mmCIF file of all heavy atoms in Angstrom:
data_model
loop_
_atom_site.group_PDB
_atom_site.id
_atom_site.type_symbol
_atom_site.label_atom_id
_atom_site.label_comp_id
_atom_site.label_asym_id
_atom_site.label_seq_id
_atom_site.Cartn_x
_atom_site.Cartn_y
_atom_site.Cartn_z
ATOM 1 N N VAL A 1 0.865 -1.243 0.081
ATOM 2 C CA VAL A 1 -0.072 -0.087 -0.021
ATOM 3 C C VAL A 1 0.973 1.221 0.063
ATOM 4 O O VAL A 1 1.801 1.384 0.907
ATOM 5 C CB VAL A 1 -1.016 -0.025 1.260
ATOM 6 C CG1 VAL A 1 -1.795 1.189 1.191
ATOM 7 C CG2 VAL A 1 -1.815 -1.170 1.226
ATOM 8 N N LEU A 2 0.601 2.189 -0.955
ATOM 9 C CA LEU A 2 1.487 3.387 -1.092
ATOM 10 C C LEU A 2 0.585 4.564 -0.987
ATOM 11 O O LEU A 2 0.014 5.025 -1.923
ATOM 12 C CB LEU A 2 2.236 3.351 -2.432
ATOM 13 C CG LEU A 2 3.172 2.183 -2.655
ATOM 14 C CD1 LEU A 2 3.712 2.142 -4.117
ATOM 15 C CD2 LEU A 2 4.332 2.161 -1.625
ATOM 16 N N PRO A 3 0.463 5.149 0.254
ATOM 17 C CA PRO A 3 -0.526 6.288 0.401
ATOM 18 C C PRO A 3 0.113 7.623 -0.201
ATOM 19 O O PRO A 3 1.228 7.531 -0.723
ATOM 20 C CB PRO A 3 -0.770 6.421 1.917
ATOM 21 C CG PRO A 3 0.617 5.821 2.429
ATOM 22 C CD PRO A 3 1.043 4.777 1.522
ATOM 23 N N GLU A 4 -0.604 8.641 -0.162
ATOM 24 C CA GLU A 4 -0.024 9.912 -0.623
ATOM 25 C C GLU A 4 1.174 10.320 0.284
ATOM 26 O O GLU A 4 1.092 10.134 1.459
ATOM 27 C CB GLU A 4 -1.120 10.992 -0.583
ATOM 28 C CG GLU A 4 -2.033 10.830 -1.763
ATOM 29 C CD GLU A 4 -1.506 10.946 -3.020
ATOM 30 O OE1 GLU A 4 -0.712 11.901 -3.415
ATOM 31 O OE2 GLU A 4 -1.868 9.883 -3.905
ATOM 32 N N PRO A 5 2.191 10.986 -0.282
ATOM 33 C CA PRO A 5 3.361 11.464 0.515
ATOM 34 C C PRO A 5 2.767 12.440 1.586
ATOM 35 O O PRO A 5 1.828 13.109 1.376
ATOM 36 C CB PRO A 5 4.155 12.141 -0.427
ATOM 37 C CG PRO A 5 3.919 11.562 -1.757
ATOM 38 C CD PRO A 5 2.330 11.230 -1.716
ATOM 39 N N ASN A 6 3.398 12.469 2.687
ATOM 40 C CA ASN A 6 3.166 13.344 3.953
ATOM 41 C C ASN A 6 4.436 14.020 4.291
ATOM 42 O O ASN A 6 5.039 13.636 5.371
ATOM 43 C CB ASN A 6 2.455 12.559 5.055
ATOM 44 C CG ASN A 6 2.200 13.490 6.253
ATOM 45 O OD1 ASN A 6 2.037 14.632 6.130
ATOM 46 N ND2 ASN A 6 1.941 12.798 7.370
ATOM 47 N N ARG A 7 4.728 15.092 3.543
ATOM 48 C CA ARG A 7 5.968 15.760 3.823
ATOM 49 C C ARG A 7 5.706 16.769 4.873
ATOM 50 O O ARG A 7 4.819 17.630 4.768
ATOM 51 C CB ARG A 7 6.517 16.391 2.588
ATOM 52 C CG ARG A 7 7.928 17.010 2.717
ATOM 53 C CD ARG A 7 8.365 17.564 1.423
ATOM 54 N NE ARG A 7 9.784 18.097 1.465
ATOM 55 C CZ ARG A 7 10.331 18.707 0.615
ATOM 56 N NH1 ARG A 7 9.755 19.034 -0.688
ATOM 57 N NH2 ARG A 7 11.604 19.108 0.698
ATOM 58 N N THR A 8 6.571 16.819 5.985
ATOM 59 C CA THR A 8 6.275 17.859 7.040
ATOM 60 C C THR A 8 7.568 18.752 7.164
ATOM 61 O O THR A 8 8.526 18.552 6.476
ATOM 62 C CB THR A 8 6.259 17.032 8.457
ATOM 63 O OG1 THR A 8 7.395 16.275 8.619
ATOM 64 C CG2 THR A 8 5.034 16.156 8.355
ATOM 65 N N LEU A 9 7.375 19.888 7.759
ATOM 66 C CA LEU A 9 8.402 20.848 7.920
ATOM 67 C C LEU A 9 9.656 20.252 8.501
ATOM 68 O O LEU A 9 10.727 20.455 7.986
ATOM 69 C CB LEU A 9 7.903 22.012 8.740
ATOM 70 C CG LEU A 9 8.932 23.176 9.015
ATOM 71 C CD1 LEU A 9 9.466 23.819 7.700
ATOM 72 C CD2 LEU A 9 8.402 24.292 9.915
ATOM 73 N N VAL A 10 9.502 19.478 9.611
ATOM 74 C CA VAL A 10 10.612 18.776 10.172
ATOM 75 C C VAL A 10 10.328 17.220 10.073
ATOM 76 O O VAL A 10 9.265 16.882 10.435
ATOM 77 C CB VAL A 10 10.642 19.219 11.694
ATOM 78 C CG1 VAL A 10 11.843 18.432 12.435
ATOM 79 C CG2 VAL A 10 10.905 20.694 11.789
ATOM 80 N N PRO A 11 11.262 16.463 9.580
ATOM 81 C CA PRO A 11 11.047 15.040 9.364
ATOM 82 C C PRO A 11 10.966 14.364 10.680
ATOM 83 O O PRO A 11 11.569 14.853 11.752
ATOM 84 C CB PRO A 11 12.218 14.601 8.641
ATOM 85 C CG PRO A 11 13.320 15.610 8.961
ATOM 86 C CD PRO A 11 12.674 16.891 9.081
ATOM 87 N N THR A 12 10.213 13.217 10.750
ATOM 88 C CA THR A 12 10.175 12.493 11.941
ATOM 89 C C THR A 12 11.571 11.890 12.196
ATOM 90 O O THR A 12 12.130 11.276 11.407
ATOM 91 C CB THR A 12 9.089 11.297 11.719
ATOM 92 O OG1 THR A 12 7.864 11.882 11.510
ATOM 93 C CG2 THR A 12 9.090 10.479 12.915
ATOM 94 N N VAL A 13 11.890 11.931 13.576
ATOM 95 C CA VAL A 13 13.136 11.317 14.013
ATOM 96 C C VAL A 13 12.718 10.485 15.205
ATOM 97 O O VAL A 13 12.418 11.100 16.310
ATOM 98 C CB VAL A 13 14.246 12.374 14.419
ATOM 99 C CG1 VAL A 13 15.419 11.643 15.008
ATOM 100 C CG2 VAL A 13 14.650 13.254 13.202
ATOM 101 N N ASN A 14 12.790 9.287 14.993
ATOM 102 C CA ASN A 14 12.270 8.309 16.090
ATOM 103 C C ASN A 14 13.192 7.120 16.088
ATOM 104 O O ASN A 14 12.837 6.002 15.833
ATOM 105 C CB ASN A 14 10.918 7.871 15.872
ATOM 106 C CG ASN A 14 10.229 7.107 16.969
ATOM 107 O OD1 ASN A 14 10.702 7.284 18.134
ATOM 108 N ND2 ASN A 14 9.477 6.124 16.699
ATOM 109 N N ILE A 15 14.447 7.323 16.766
ATOM 110 C CA ILE A 15 15.500 6.322 16.798
ATOM 111 C C ILE A 15 15.343 5.562 18.030
ATOM 112 O O ILE A 15 15.068 6.137 19.150
ATOM 113 C CB ILE A 15 16.896 6.914 16.629
ATOM 114 C CG1 ILE A 15 17.032 7.559 15.175
ATOM 115 C CG2 ILE A 15 17.994 5.969 16.856
ATOM 116 C CD1 ILE A 15 18.141 8.455 15.180
ATOM 117 N N ALA A 16 15.643 4.304 18.152
ATOM 118 C CA ALA A 16 15.838 3.619 19.360
ATOM 119 C C ALA A 16 17.330 3.744 19.764
ATOM 120 O O ALA A 16 18.246 3.325 19.169
ATOM 121 C CB ALA A 16 15.621 2.100 19.157
ATOM 122 N N PRO A 17 17.532 4.495 20.902
ATOM 123 C CA PRO A 17 18.910 4.732 21.359
ATOM 124 C C PRO A 17 19.695 3.465 21.581
ATOM 125 O O PRO A 17 19.057 2.590 22.129
ATOM 126 C CB PRO A 17 18.665 5.460 22.682
ATOM 127 C CG PRO A 17 17.253 6.104 22.645
ATOM 128 C CD PRO A 17 16.435 5.047 21.806
ATOM 129 N N ALA A 18 20.820 3.493 21.155
ATOM 130 C CA ALA A 18 21.701 2.253 21.177
ATOM 131 C C ALA A 18 22.264 2.075 22.618
ATOM 132 O O ALA A 18 22.877 2.938 23.181
ATOM 133 C CB ALA A 18 22.888 2.368 20.186
ATOM 134 N N LYS A 19 22.008 0.847 23.189
ATOM 135 C CA LYS A 19 22.400 0.598 24.516
ATOM 136 C C LYS A 19 23.360 -0.575 24.610
ATOM 137 O O LYS A 19 24.126 -0.748 25.436
ATOM 138 C CB LYS A 19 21.196 0.444 25.381
ATOM 139 C CG LYS A 19 20.300 1.661 25.529
ATOM 140 C CD LYS A 19 20.987 2.764 26.155
ATOM 141 C CE LYS A 19 20.030 3.884 26.272
ATOM 142 N NZ LYS A 19 20.732 5.161 26.814
ATOM 143 N N GLY A 20 23.124 -1.621 23.814
ATOM 144 C CA GLY A 20 23.865 -2.967 23.861
ATOM 145 C C GLY A 20 23.142 -3.835 24.742
ATOM 146 O O GLY A 20 22.122 -3.449 25.512
ATOM 147 N N TRP A 21 23.608 -5.189 24.787
ATOM 148 C CA TRP A 21 22.898 -6.224 25.540
ATOM 149 C C TRP A 21 23.271 -6.371 26.919
ATOM 150 O O TRP A 21 24.554 -6.478 27.203
ATOM 151 C CB TRP A 21 23.082 -7.537 24.712
ATOM 152 C CG TRP A 21 22.517 -7.551 23.452
ATOM 153 C CD1 TRP A 21 23.192 -7.333 22.250
ATOM 154 C CD2 TRP A 21 21.150 -8.024 23.052
ATOM 155 N NE1 TRP A 21 22.398 -7.505 21.175
ATOM 156 C CE2 TRP A 21 21.173 -7.899 21.663
ATOM 157 C CE3 TRP A 21 19.973 -8.367 23.792
ATOM 158 C CZ2 TRP A 21 19.907 -8.074 20.929
ATOM 159 C CZ3 TRP A 21 18.873 -8.510 23.064
ATOM 160 C CH2 TRP A 21 18.811 -8.455 21.653
ATOM 161 N N PRO A 22 22.373 -6.257 27.934
ATOM 162 C CA PRO A 22 22.755 -6.629 29.296
ATOM 163 C C PRO A 22 23.167 -8.161 29.267
ATOM 164 O O PRO A 22 22.773 -8.977 28.526
ATOM 165 C CB PRO A 22 21.574 -6.408 30.069
ATOM 166 C CG PRO A 22 20.670 -5.502 29.212
ATOM 167 C CD PRO A 22 20.941 -5.940 27.729
ATOM 168 N N ASP A 23 23.960 -8.426 30.341
ATOM 169 C CA ASP A 23 24.436 -9.786 30.599
ATOM 170 C C ASP A 23 23.166 -10.770 30.587
ATOM 171 O O ASP A 23 22.176 -10.375 31.306
ATOM 172 C CB ASP A 23 25.305 -9.940 31.856
ATOM 173 C CG ASP A 23 26.624 -9.288 31.734
ATOM 174 O OD1 ASP A 23 27.046 -8.909 30.528
ATOM 175 O OD2 ASP A 23 27.221 -8.987 32.757
ATOM 176 N N GLY A 24 23.273 -11.849 29.906
ATOM 177 C CA GLY A 24 22.335 -12.822 29.950
ATOM 178 C C GLY A 24 21.002 -12.526 29.036
ATOM 179 O O GLY A 24 20.166 -13.395 29.018
ATOM 180 N N VAL A 25 21.026 -11.443 28.354
ATOM 181 C CA VAL A 25 19.850 -11.167 27.589
ATOM 182 C C VAL A 25 20.281 -11.352 26.102
ATOM 183 O O VAL A 25 21.517 -11.017 25.719
ATOM 184 C CB VAL A 25 19.415 -9.618 27.748
ATOM 185 C CG1 VAL A 25 18.223 -9.206 26.871
ATOM 186 C CG2 VAL A 25 19.085 -9.450 29.299
ATOM 187 N N LYS A 26 19.417 -11.867 25.303
ATOM 188 C CA LYS A 26 19.619 -12.037 23.818
ATOM 189 C C LYS A 26 18.391 -11.904 23.028
ATOM 190 O O LYS A 26 17.266 -11.767 23.604
ATOM 191 C CB LYS A 26 20.183 -13.517 23.643
ATOM 192 C CG LYS A 26 19.277 -14.583 24.204
ATOM 193 C CD LYS A 26 20.006 -15.988 23.940
ATOM 194 C CE LYS A 26 18.957 -17.050 24.499
ATOM 195 N NZ LYS A 26 19.605 -18.414 24.418
ATOM 196 N N PRO A 27 18.480 -11.962 21.704
ATOM 197 C CA PRO A 27 17.228 -11.775 20.977
ATOM 198 C C PRO A 27 16.195 -12.918 21.200
ATOM 199 O O PRO A 27 16.542 -13.962 21.606
ATOM 200 C CB PRO A 27 17.735 -11.795 19.488
ATOM 201 C CG PRO A 27 19.174 -11.461 19.556
ATOM 202 C CD PRO A 27 19.668 -11.934 20.927
ATOM 203 N N HIS A 28 14.910 -12.649 20.800
ATOM 204 C CA HIS A 28 13.876 -13.646 20.829
ATOM 205 C C HIS A 28 13.905 -14.436 19.484
ATOM 206 O O HIS A 28 13.665 -13.796 18.474
ATOM 207 C CB HIS A 28 12.542 -13.030 21.140
ATOM 208 C CG HIS A 28 12.485 -12.082 22.204
ATOM 209 N ND1 HIS A 28 13.011 -12.497 23.537
ATOM 210 C CD2 HIS A 28 11.996 -10.870 22.470
ATOM 211 C CE1 HIS A 28 12.935 -11.470 24.472
ATOM 212 N NE2 HIS A 28 12.253 -10.512 23.741
ATOM 213 N N ALA A 29 14.045 -15.648 19.523
ATOM 214 C CA ALA A 29 13.919 -16.596 18.374
ATOM 215 C C ALA A 29 12.560 -17.085 18.141
ATOM 216 O O ALA A 29 11.781 -17.213 19.117
ATOM 217 C CB ALA A 29 14.861 -17.680 18.514
ATOM 218 N N ALA A 30 12.138 -17.113 16.942
ATOM 219 C CA ALA A 30 10.850 -17.572 16.623
ATOM 220 C C ALA A 30 10.618 -19.071 17.080
ATOM 221 O O ALA A 30 11.610 -19.817 17.208
ATOM 222 C CB ALA A 30 10.564 -17.455 15.063
ATOM 223 N N PRO A 31 9.330 -19.455 17.261
ATOM 224 C CA PRO A 31 9.133 -20.879 17.641
ATOM 225 C C PRO A 31 9.737 -21.857 16.691
ATOM 226 O O PRO A 31 9.750 -21.677 15.428
ATOM 227 C CB PRO A 31 7.592 -20.978 17.503
ATOM 228 C CG PRO A 31 7.129 -19.591 17.836
ATOM 229 C CD PRO A 31 8.079 -18.687 17.170
ATOM 230 N N GLY A 32 10.446 -22.782 17.211
ATOM 231 C CA GLY A 32 11.179 -23.733 16.414
ATOM 232 C C GLY A 32 12.674 -23.370 16.249
ATOM 233 O O GLY A 32 13.429 -24.186 15.576
ATOM 234 N N PHE A 33 13.102 -22.173 16.738
ATOM 235 C CA PHE A 33 14.414 -21.766 16.508
ATOM 236 C C PHE A 33 15.078 -21.474 17.945
ATOM 237 O O PHE A 33 14.417 -21.145 18.872
ATOM 238 C CB PHE A 33 14.569 -20.549 15.719
ATOM 239 C CG PHE A 33 14.233 -20.695 14.300
ATOM 240 C CD1 PHE A 33 12.854 -20.461 13.720
ATOM 241 C CD2 PHE A 33 15.166 -21.188 13.346
ATOM 242 C CE1 PHE A 33 12.708 -20.680 12.478
ATOM 243 C CE2 PHE A 33 14.968 -21.403 12.031
ATOM 244 C CZ PHE A 33 13.660 -21.202 11.527
ATOM 245 N N HIS A 34 16.372 -21.592 17.938
ATOM 246 C CA HIS A 34 17.206 -21.220 19.135
ATOM 247 C C HIS A 34 18.354 -20.366 18.746
ATOM 248 O O HIS A 34 18.903 -20.523 17.601
ATOM 249 C CB HIS A 34 17.848 -22.486 19.691
ATOM 250 C CG HIS A 34 18.622 -22.293 20.928
ATOM 251 N ND1 HIS A 34 18.127 -21.906 22.102
ATOM 252 C CD2 HIS A 34 20.011 -22.306 20.964
ATOM 253 C CE1 HIS A 34 19.293 -21.856 22.970
ATOM 254 N NE2 HIS A 34 20.286 -21.999 22.347
ATOM 255 N N VAL A 35 18.686 -19.244 19.506
ATOM 256 C CA VAL A 35 19.776 -18.399 19.191
ATOM 257 C C VAL A 35 20.743 -18.301 20.292
ATOM 258 O O VAL A 35 20.297 -18.253 21.560
ATOM 259 C CB VAL A 35 19.224 -16.985 18.852
ATOM 260 C CG1 VAL A 35 18.437 -16.335 20.093
ATOM 261 C CG2 VAL A 35 20.322 -15.993 18.455
ATOM 262 N N GLU A 36 21.938 -18.213 20.011
ATOM 263 C CA GLU A 36 23.108 -18.039 20.898
ATOM 264 C C GLU A 36 24.166 -17.183 20.225
ATOM 265 O O GLU A 36 24.241 -17.133 19.011
ATOM 266 C CB GLU A 36 23.677 -19.414 21.245
ATOM 267 C CG GLU A 36 22.878 -20.270 22.101
ATOM 268 C CD GLU A 36 22.636 -19.830 23.651
ATOM 269 O OE1 GLU A 36 23.402 -18.814 23.984
ATOM 270 O OE2 GLU A 36 21.753 -20.319 24.238
ATOM 271 N N ALA A 37 24.929 -16.529 21.155
ATOM 272 C CA ALA A 37 26.018 -15.684 20.581
ATOM 273 C C ALA A 37 27.167 -16.670 19.935
ATOM 274 O O ALA A 37 27.643 -17.536 20.704
ATOM 275 C CB ALA A 37 26.546 -14.828 21.746
ATOM 276 N N PHE A 38 27.503 -16.381 18.757
ATOM 277 C CA PHE A 38 28.653 -17.149 18.098
ATOM 278 C C PHE A 38 29.926 -16.394 18.428
ATOM 279 O O PHE A 38 30.909 -17.067 18.732
ATOM 280 C CB PHE A 38 28.339 -17.131 16.546
ATOM 281 C CG PHE A 38 29.456 -17.898 15.864
ATOM 282 C CD1 PHE A 38 29.637 -19.200 15.999
ATOM 283 C CD2 PHE A 38 30.245 -17.190 14.863
ATOM 284 C CE1 PHE A 38 30.558 -19.996 15.215
ATOM 285 C CE2 PHE A 38 31.234 -17.949 14.255
ATOM 286 C CZ PHE A 38 31.344 -19.307 14.419
ATOM 287 N N ALA A 39 29.836 -15.139 18.516
ATOM 288 C CA ALA A 39 31.128 -14.297 18.951
ATOM 289 C C ALA A 39 30.580 -12.940 19.510
ATOM 290 O O ALA A 39 29.676 -12.381 18.988
ATOM 291 C CB ALA A 39 32.024 -14.064 17.714
#
């Protein structure tokens, strides 16, 4: 779906501030998958 452009005076800036992973925390893998740090 491609709506009409919505150009504003100031562009939207909505960044997730970079923090890094706390100890013991990792991404969520989809059902059927497992994730671990390789390096």
Side-chain angles (χ1 to χ4, degrees):
V1 178
L2 300 172
E4 289 298 311
N6 183 17
R7 190 179 182 189
T8 55
L9 177 63
V10 179
T12 297
V13 178
N14 186 32
I15 295 168
K19 300 295 184 182
W21 296 96
D23 291 342
V25 181
K26 60 185 180 180
H28 306 312
F33 289 97
H34 177 75
V35 61
E36 290 289 347
F38 182 66

